[in-house]
Amino acid sequence: MFEPHSLVEDGVRHYGRLPARPVSVNPLDEFRGARRLLRRTRLKEWAGFTVLHPDMYASMILQDAKYLASSEIYVHDRADGALYQHEQVAVPGAVRIAEQLIGSSVALRRKGYAIGYEFGTDRHRIEIDIAATAEAPAFSGRLELLPKSASPALSVSSRLPGGTMYTNKALFPIEGALRVGEREFVFRPDRDLAILDEHKSALPYRTTWTWGTFGAFADGVPVGANFVDRPEIPGQPEESGIWTPDAAAPLTDVDFDWDPAAPLSPWQIRSADRRLDVTFTPEGRKTVDLQLGVLAMDYFQAYGTFAGTLDIGTRTVDLADVHGVCEQMRARL
């Protein structure tokens, strides 16, 4: 399969399921002059991680929305059932996601709040140093991800109704420690995973999606799934896929069967070919509800466990108590 060096080459953007993340990803390179400036206002860039550990659920994000920068992190401690959250909003330009991932760093650092990522050849690093507030204890820690033991990349460039999407996702064994108040969570690379979610997308003004992801080890190798339901253009690639030991295999026609009136009740999630057939049982969720006139966001991410079956090509893996998340976004951006 052709592996482009850049997402955009000679002014032409590559679309499709790509064999790996291109070395350079800048969707704006497709445009010049005033069109480039206009397109830049629509571009949303973020890099986030969901970390999978038997005693907690956690996700974090650094985001450049162009009109502002932001970061947030949450931890749900399964021992006491508490959800702890920190967030920070900053001026435009305070977070910059690089075109080239390897060798880059991105961070948001303010008084009492610091999250930073470094992307290296042998190690990726996450550093967290957040002071306690009235609502949540202090978070601190250093986590290291192991690229040489990671899953294949799920790298997808596609057209959306009223926009475009590029995403890069992968599973990484993770080690290190994260302290939440007086509690310390130690990560083992033979048991625990981090799921990278990198986006560089010009989303439509009215944006909706339902999405989920999980990861686990099978025979010592990271496997898992990423699945989404959003408005699409027929024939365009979507980001649903299965991480197998050898590839990020495509999934299509994923169906989410859940009750919006009872979002903490079990969800049934299946692909048309039944390579993915799982039940997601939420343990809790975090929500965002913003109404700012022309800008609005109605969002939740539920965290919990998956059970069922996953066909990784060479065999079908039985899943039980596998950690992951599902979320829904309805926004005007």
Side-chain angles (χ1 to χ4, degrees), residues 45-60:
E45 300 181 87
W46 68 80
F49 291 97
T50 297
V51 295
L52 309 178
H53 184 284
D55 297 329
M56 54 91 87
Y57 300 96
S59 287
M60 69 196 76

Side-chain angles (χ1 to χ4, degrees), residues 90-110:
V91 298
V95 170
R96 295 186 181 275
I97 311 294
E99 297 178 21
Q100 298 189 20
L101 192 69
I102 301 303
S104 74
S105 62
V106 57
L108 182 60
R109 295 186 175 92
R110 293 292 183 269

